[in-house]
């Protein structure tokens, strides 16, 4: 029987990404359904009923959605962070979950520097700004995105420090950054701090007032990772206490915090929509990788990138 793959994206992929992904799956004999920009979860529950595999972005795949997928064998998060998928509930139901690590990393890293220059130049207000050259950039977690941030930072002639408990100091040095041994040291020494930690039970609310107020004069935290890792009350307090600190984010905080931060003028900037992975290239890389992973899994039992074994 023909197998069905559902592409379910509240935030649609670029047209080219969709065309290529559909072509890969159809050539392998699959039927492809696309559900995008859906406002109502009921649409997802209906569409998933026939699917053998599903490709999603930040769409919430909780146990209720998994239950509606009567034929579902695989969920592929076309992206890096899979905190939007209930991986344990999927495992209980015998459904594998994968991500597509690295596929959108360059896009996110480029946005980091877009936000840094935008802020360092006073959001282009015509007054003298500052340069990134010679400043110290701290990278909090040196995974795929962090490594791309490091590569681009060298082009800006920045000093780069990195903290990553999962990497040996020798590997951090070999990548071209100076390793520091604690999160505290990283924040205390960084003029700019780029966050690349995933949202887990351990990291949620972990970046708060103490770390922020330890940063050097005029420092900025740039968040292209997840809103949940920020202790929002602590962030507001830090910006209140230190009139030189800045917070730049691609993932808006809660509405109340967003409103509170609005009072800090240009010291706070949030992209109107999450834009890090939103390029044609990143969409194409992530979605076509997802399609290939689905074919490998369903046809050959390949389990590379399964995150809930
Ligand atoms: C990721 O984890 O890959 C990024 O946060 C991208 O998320 P998006 O697909 O919702 O843009």
């Amino acid at each position: 029987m023909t197998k069905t793959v559902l592409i379910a994206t509240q935030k649609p992929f670029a047209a080219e990404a969709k065309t290529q992904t559909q072509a890969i799956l159809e050539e392998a004999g699959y039927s492809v359904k696309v559900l995008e920009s859906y406002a109502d979860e009921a649409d997802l529950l209906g569409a998933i009923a026939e699917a053998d595999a599903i490709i999603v972005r930040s769409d919430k795949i909780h146990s209720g959605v998994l239950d509606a997928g009567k034929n579902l064998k695989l969920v592929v998060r076309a992206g890096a962070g899979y905190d939007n998928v209930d991986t344990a509930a999927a495992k209980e139901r015998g459904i594998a979950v994968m991500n597509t690590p690295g596929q959108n990393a360059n896009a996110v890293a480029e946005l980091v520097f877009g936000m840094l220059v935008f802020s360092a130049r006073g959001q282009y207000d015509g007054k003298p700004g500052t340069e990134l050259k010679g400043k110290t950039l701290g990278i909090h977690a040196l995974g795929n995105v962090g490594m791309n941030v490091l590569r681009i930072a060298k082009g800006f002639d920045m000093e780069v420090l990195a903290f990553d408990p999962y990497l040996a100091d020798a590997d951090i040095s070999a990548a071209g950054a100076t390793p520091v041994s604690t999160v505290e040291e990283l924040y205390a020494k960084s003029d700019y701090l780029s966050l690349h930690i995933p949202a887990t039970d351990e990291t949620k609310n972990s970046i708060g007032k103490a770390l922020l107020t330890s940063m050097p004069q005029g420092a900025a935290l740039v968040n292209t990772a997840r809103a949940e890792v920020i202790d929002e009350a602590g962030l507001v307090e830090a910006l209140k206490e230190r009139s030189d600190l800045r917070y730049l984010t691609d993932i808006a905080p809660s509405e109340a915090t967003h409103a509170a931060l609005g009072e800090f003028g240009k010291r706070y900037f949030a992209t109107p929509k999450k834009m890090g992975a939103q390029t044609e290239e990143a969409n194409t890389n992530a979605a076509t990788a997802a399609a290939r992973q689905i074919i490998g899994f369903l046809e050959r039992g390949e389990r590379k990138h399964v995150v809930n074994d």
Side-chain angles (χ1 to χ4, degrees):
M1 221 174 88
T2 308
K3 292 177 191 134
T4 299
V5 175
L6 173 67
I7 301 175
T9 51
Q10 255 169 348
K11 184 168 61 180
F13 289 125
E16 181 58 23
K18 256 183 313 190
T19 307
Q20 286 193 31
T21 305
Q22 235 165 310
I24 290 169
L25 290 165
E26 284 169 2
E27 202 169 302
Y30 290 74
S31 154
V32 180
K33 282 191 182 161
V34 179
L35 171 72
E36 55 189 19
S37 308
Y38 58 96
D40 196 340
E41 192 183 77
D43 296 339
L44 174 60
L45 297 180
I48 206 172
E50 305 301 319
D52 293 277
I54 176 169
I55 299 175
V56 297
R57 296 186 68 176
S58 291
D59 307 70
K60 298 261 176 290
I61 308 299
H62 54 76
S63 55
V65 177
L66 295 167
D67 282 337
K70 300 281 175 230
N71 298 331
L72 197 62
K73 294 152 196 78
L74 175 63
V75 175
V76 185
R77 194 284 191 239
Y82 47 87
D83 45 307
N84 54 312
V85 182
D86 188 336
T87 51
K91 189 173 180 178
E92 278 167 26
R93 290 159 179 75
I95 299 167
V97 179
M98 292 179 175
N99 64 350
T100 64
Q103 299 293 346
N104 57 23
N106 180 66
V108 179
E110 286 190 12
L111 184 72
V112 168
F113 288 90
M115 291 166 78
L116 292 188
V117 172
F118 181 61
S119 179
R121 297 300 182 96
Q123 301 188 4
Y124 312 137
D125 63 0
K127 297 180 189 148
T130 55
E131 299 181 20
L132 300 185
K133 183 175 178 177
K135 304 294 188 304
T136 300
L137 173 72
I139 303 179
H140 191 166
L142 207 49
N144 290 306
V145 182
M147 285 291 187
N148 277 279
V149 168
L150 169 57
R151 172 179 54 79
I152 299 170
K154 288 182 192 165
F156 276 96
D157 246 338
M158 300 182 86
E159 299 293 327
V160 185
L161 308 177
F163 174 78
D164 192 320
Y166 299 100
L167 285 183
D169 283 0
D171 294 331
I172 295 178
S173 301
T178 303
V180 298
S181 43
T182 63
V183 175
E184 286 73 20
E185 186 183 351
L186 185 74
Y187 282 70
K189 290 183 171 167
S190 299
D191 300 310
Y192 288 98
L193 195 299
S194 195
L195 257 182
H196 301 293
I197 53 177
T200 63
D201 289 345
E202 202 183 313
T203 64
K204 280 180 187 166
N205 297 314
S206 64
I207 311 300
K209 187 178 175 188
L211 285 176
L212 286 161
T213 53
S214 76
M215 293 180 79
Q217 188 68 22
L221 175 67
V222 57
N223 184 3
T224 54
R226 287 292 181 270
E228 293 85 348
V229 301
I230 303 290
D231 161 9
E232 295 188 2
L235 168 67
V236 174
E237 279 178 36
L239 266 71
K240 235 179 227 162
E241 190 174 300
R242 284 266 309 271
S243 62
D244 58 297
L245 286 181
R246 287 170 283 155
Y247 180 58
L248 320 170
T249 184
D250 186 36
I251 329 94
S254 67
E255 272 178 40
T257 302
H258 180 68
L261 291 170
E263 291 177 19
F264 299 114
K266 287 185 186 153
R267 292 201 286 128
Y268 170 61
F269 172 75
T271 52
K273 292 259 184 222
K274 187 180 174 197
M275 290 298 295
Q278 210 43 335
T279 65
E280 281 183 15
E281 294 90 337
N283 284 181
T284 304
N285 293 342
T288 59
R292 290 194 187 92
Q293 288 173 213
I294 287 171
I295 296 165
F297 178 86
L298 292 178
E299 306 306 320
R300 299 182 291 277
E302 291 170 8
R303 301 186 67 80
K304 194 171 173 202
H305 303 313
V306 170
V307 296
N308 68 336
D309 262 339

